[in-house]
Amino acid sequence: MTPSSGSILPNLYGLRFLAATVVLLGHGQQNLQQLNISVPDWPLFSKGSLAVLFFFNLSGFLLAYLAQSSMEKFSAASFFKRRFARIVPLYLLVVLGGFLFLTTVLPAITGERYLNFNIGSGLLLYVFLLPNLAIQVLAPPFGGLYLLWSIGSEVQFYLLFPFLILFLPFKNQRLIGFAVLSLSWSVLNPIVTSTLSTTWSHFVDTIPFQYMFAGAFWGILLTSRLKPASRRKLWETACFPITGLFSLLLFTTRWEEYLPFYNFWLPWIWGLTLYLFAQQRIGLLEHRIMVLGGTISYGIYLMHPWISYPVRWLFQKALFLSQFSWMTYLLVLFLLTYLLAWFIYRYYEHPLRIRFVNRT
């Protein structure tokens, strides 16, 4: 089924939920190792970094798809307002709550110190949406604040994206522009990072723009498939199961260890996957629970490290719980995170976003 203009592309919400779950499982496995609970050595548990790269690809895809779908009324001011309403409220809640928790609440309970860097400098960098710079210039550990580095990468892409859209007003210009940008960033990134100091080299590595740019290319291309008369081409039909299977194997095997330079070509494979999946009805991905999970995936991504603290404490104190299998821990972590993410979305994120967008 070809999506209609303005469609929410429910399959992609399902994929977003799966990616957030992979990140949660990866961190859950690390927590289990700290609890000395035996965990199977499944590749899926070590794919959190790949899932984050997929998020970057999906972000560029959706932003470009929506911008191209409404290209006649695209406004940089409106774009920034909507991105601000989408990202900042929950981000600041996690930053302020996280600093309070790690500097006051948790030390009062355990008597341990959880942050070694200067709190004033750290809070300043986090509040000004530079967490990916903070983890380079501040002394570890960062606790649950570490995961926020990817939000900084997203925001830096948001600052660039609307100007590229306005500078490239026509569809073909945008397709060529984003393709060139993605390939150029892939080539220049290792060259630039090799000339920088260690701190700035690692900072640039936290901004994999080639994934956003490649996603944007396929998101713009998708808008040509919105016409009711459009028919799927033979190559699209053939590539759909191939890209889906490839992505599945990438997350369930250790293929990437034997696939060189995947940061050059993986953004394009995943962009193609999103392009194809957005046009195909898939019952599992369109299920209400999956779509809701995709809707609250931002909360799942940001909140699960903070849920892990009390869950770990519970498993350490209640000895009978530690006798259960690793599945019990992951299930408790997943369910509590899902419920908290839904609650925050329902009563905090969504109301603030609607109020802000309506007012502006």
Side-chain angles (χ1 to χ4, degrees):
M1 176 181 178
T2 302
S4 59
S5 181
S7 166
I8 64 169
L9 306 179
N11 284 342
L12 303 191
Y13 276 70
L15 291 176
R16 176 188 286 170
F17 173 51
L18 292 177
T21 302
V22 170
V23 176
L24 182 148
L25 291 175
H27 290 141
Q29 188 250 13
Q30 295 173 12
N31 298 336
L32 286 165
Q33 291 177 339
Q34 295 178 10
L35 293 171
N36 294 320
I37 297 177
S38 178
V39 191
D41 187 25
W42 293 349
L44 182 64
F45 290 146
S46 62
K47 303 296 182 174
S49 58
L50 275 180
V52 172
L53 293 177
F54 179 80
F55 273 124
F56 290 149
N57 205 257
L58 179 59
S59 177
F61 182 93
L62 289 175
L63 291 183
Y65 163 76
L66 293 173
Q68 183 65 28
S69 298
S70 57
M71 60 181 300
E72 294 181 358
K73 52 184 179 181
F74 180 82
S75 162
S78 177
F79 173 85
F80 286 128
K81 290 173 184 176
R82 290 180 180 276
R83 289 296 91 199
F84 177 92
R86 176 70 179 94
I87 294 295
V88 173
L90 182 56
Y91 172 83
L92 287 181
L93 177 67
V94 171
V95 166
L96 298 178
F99 269 89
L100 177 65
F101 184 75
L102 292 173
T103 59
T104 305
V105 178
L106 204 55
I109 296 174
T110 65
E112 299 179 20
R113 182 182 177 91
Y114 290 86
L115 296 179
N116 294 327
F117 55 81
N118 180 275
I119 304 303
S121 302
L123 187 58
L124 196 64
L125 286 170
Y126 273 91
V127 167
F128 281 93
L129 299 168
L130 290 169
N132 54 334
L133 179 59
I135 63 172
Q136 309 303 333
V137 300
L138 301 176
F142 299 93
L145 296 170
Y146 184 86
L147 192 67
L148 297 177
W149 72 265
S150 63
I151 308 304
S153 308
E154 287 274 1
V155 169
Q156 285 136 33
F157 176 66
Y158 296 160
L159 294 176
L160 180 63
F161 177 79
F163 300 105
L164 293 175
I165 291 293
L166 295 173
F167 181 73
L168 304 169
F170 302 109
K171 178 181 175 181
N172 288 339
Q173 291 178 338
R174 291 174 179 176
L175 288 173
I176 295 172
F178 280 114
V180 170
L181 285 169
S182 180
L183 296 173
S184 299
W185 191 267
S186 297
V187 173
L188 294 176
N189 182 271
I191 298 175
V192 171
T193 54
S194 66
T195 64
L196 298 173
S197 65
T198 301
T199 296
W200 290 105
S201 173
H202 290 168
F203 171 70
V204 172
D205 270 341
T206 68
I207 314 174
F209 277 170
Q210 66 266 42
Y211 285 85
M212 290 89 148
F213 291 146
F217 171 91
W218 289 104
I220 292 170
L221 194 64
L222 177 65
T223 58
S224 65
R225 309 295 295 152
L226 299 179
K227 300 176 182 178
S230 297
R231 294 183 179 180
R232 292 177 61 81
K233 298 177 181 178
L234 180 61
W235 71 268
E236 294 175 341
T237 303
C239 285
F240 173 73
I242 296 174
T243 56
L245 179 61
F246 178 85
S247 297
L248 178 63
L249 291 174
L250 198 62
F251 279 100
T252 56
T253 69
R254 292 188 170 85
W255 268 19
E256 80 275 8
E257 298 177 6
Y258 309 100
L259 298 173
F261 310 113
Y262 67 81
N263 279 327
F264 287 85
W265 49 262
L266 185 57
W268 293 93
I269 297 295
W270 273 347
L272 173 60
T273 303
L274 294 171
Y275 170 83
L276 297 173
F277 270 66
Q279 302 178 62
Q280 182 72 33
R281 294 294 298 269
I282 303 174
L284 175 62
L285 295 178
E286 290 186 354
H287 192 279
R288 182 179 179 181
I289 293 179
M290 299 291 285
V291 174
L292 176 59
T295 303
I296 64 174
S297 60
Y298 183 46
I300 293 174
Y301 182 77
L302 291 189
M303 299 308 302
H304 79 268
W306 307 102
I307 292 292
S308 73
Y309 283 102
V311 174
R312 269 183 287 174
W313 180 86
L314 184 62
F315 270 68
Q316 287 173 329
K317 296 300 181 181
L319 296 180
F320 72 94
L321 286 176
S322 63
Q323 298 174 4
F324 288 99
S325 71
W326 56 272
M327 289 185 288
T328 305
Y329 177 89
L330 292 179
L331 182 62
V332 171
L333 177 63
F334 174 82
L335 290 177
L336 291 180
T337 301
Y338 193 100
L339 290 173
L340 179 61
W342 173 84
F343 182 85
I344 289 178
Y345 179 83
R346 176 69 177 80
Y347 296 104
Y348 176 71
E349 279 187 85
H350 190 62
L352 282 181
R353 190 189 316 173
I354 294 299
R355 186 178 304 174
F356 182 82
V357 170
N358 287 344
R359 186 173 69 248
T360 55

